[in-house]
Amino acid sequence: MTPAEGPVSRPATIREVAALAGVSHQTVSRFLNQDTSMRPATIDKIKIAMAELHYSPNLAARALRSRQNYRVVVVLPDASQYVPIRVLNGAAKAAHLAGYRVDVVALEGTAKERMESIATLLAGADLAGVLSFAPLPPEALGGAELVTRVPIVVAGAYDDKMRASGTFANGKATIKIMEYLHGLGHRNFFHVAGPLDWISARNRKDAYEFAIADLGLHSHGIARGDWSSKSGYLAASQIMASPDVTAVVVANDHMAFGVMRALHENGIAVPTTVSVFGWDDLAESEYFMPSLSSVHMDLETQGSIGMKRLIALMRGENLAPELLSEPTMELVLRESCGPVRPSSQGLTIPTS
């Protein structure tokens, strides 16, 4: 060590964590292995001791001892700007608390190239599991052998058995949107959907169609966007071609911004003439003109649930009850929605 160098700090050990927490090192090991039978008070003591000592599990040593892998991969789509960072934070935190290392990869290119990338990813020898925020078509999974060997969970769309997480899964809030707008007098709707290879976009579209039929409403069309503001802007031409439309339900906030911009440029007032409802409750939504009504989700919890489902699948454990459903969704009501004016028939305002 040269004079300019300071002492090199040694990483804390599991026994030091145990001593500080006042428990045995076997108890700390049980915590790191996600033993669900531990008392909450004991868990809190261990977490405090780990934080104070800046303890990080030696994943390589654990893997050698147990012959298990501790690397999980989070897959993002090439449109990863539409996966909020809060979702990733929730997933990463859950993985780290369980003692797993997280790598993040993005899938780009054509469908064929994406399929090849997924097959290569799943073939990784040191891979414990995959949590995907990108849609994974069945033919991209590389065959039953790889699927069996490498657990996969698609966040927000499937449970640990790759089954849909209930009717409409994470699209249920669309029905609440429609009921709310119906209560404001709206009967003529239009939907701007996300890319339909995304389970979440299909769920929201299916819920929209269900509500149209269930409430006796009229749909003037469904435009397919790609989550971007530009695609919402372009979809507005279809909306404006249907003069009776008074309410537009959009599958995410980015596309809703585009819709509102196009309506504004064409002299169509929101919400005076047409109401617009988005999804995601982005930070920008509150400050748009007018502010955008949207669906709020606990995104950190959504990411955490996805990762915990994967961990349970990797360990052959049953899912805890709180992991069997999607996080709570709430409607955030802002200025972009209002009642139908008695004198208005949607985009065309009668002169008499």
Side-chain angles (χ1 to χ4, degrees), residues 4 39 58 67 69 146 174 181 197 221 242 253 281 293 303:
R39 293 184 300 173
N58 187 331
R67 296 187 179 181
N69 298 319
L146 284 176
T174 304
L181 292 171
D197 57 338
S242 302
D253 286 359
D281 192 25
S293 296

Side-chain angles (χ1 to χ4, degrees), residues 13-211:
T13 68
I14 191 172
R15 292 183 181 274
E16 289 170 336
V17 171
L20 184 60
V23 299
S24 68
H25 72 273
Q26 292 94 338
T27 299
V28 178
S29 294
R30 286 170 51 207
F31 168 79
L32 294 174
N33 288 316
Q34 295 284 289
D35 186 336
T36 58
S37 66
M38 296 181 65
R39 293 184 300 173
T42 301
I43 292 174
D44 290 341
K45 290 179 182 178
I46 294 172
K47 286 182 177 179
I48 292 171
M50 290 174 63
E52 186 171 334
L53 294 173
H54 303 288
Y55 175 78
S56 179
N58 187 331
L59 301 183
R62 288 177 62 193
L64 287 173
R65 289 194 304 269
S66 63
R67 296 187 179 181
Q68 293 181 3
N69 298 319
Y70 290 94
R71 173 178 168 244
V72 296
V73 168
V74 173
V75 176
L76 299 180
D78 53 3
S80 57
Q81 65 266 36
Y82 305 118
V83 177
I85 189 64
R86 288 176 290 167
V87 175
L88 295 179
N89 288 343
K93 182 177 180 180
H96 292 157
L97 286 176
Y100 290 89
R101 186 178 80 243
V102 176
D103 294 335
V104 179
V105 300
L107 297 180
E108 300 179 351
T110 65
K112 183 176 183 295
E113 291 168 338
R114 289 175 60 189
M115 289 170 63
E116 293 172 349
S117 297
I118 293 169
T120 301
L121 181 68
L122 294 178
D126 63 341
L127 190 61
V130 175
L131 173 63
S132 180
F133 291 100
L136 298 183
E139 62 270 23
L141 298 180
E145 181 181 350
L146 284 176
V147 174
T148 301
R149 184 169 62 81
V150 182
I152 306 169
V153 166
V154 181
Y158 294 108
D159 63 15
D160 65 310
K161 302 297 184 182
M162 297 298 288
R163 298 174 304 201
S165 302
T167 304
F168 303 133
N170 63 356
K172 291 180 180 178
T174 304
I175 298 173
K176 294 183 179 180
I177 294 172
M178 305 287 281
E179 291 173 342
Y180 167 71
L181 292 171
H182 176 266
L184 293 178
H186 294 278
R187 301 295 183 270
N188 294 282
F189 287 77
F190 195 96
H191 179 52
V192 181
L196 297 184
D197 57 338
W198 286 65
I199 300 294
S200 57
R202 293 205 300 271
N203 287 337
R204 293 166 197 178
K205 180 186 74 71
D206 290 347
Y208 167 83
E209 293 175 329
F210 172 84

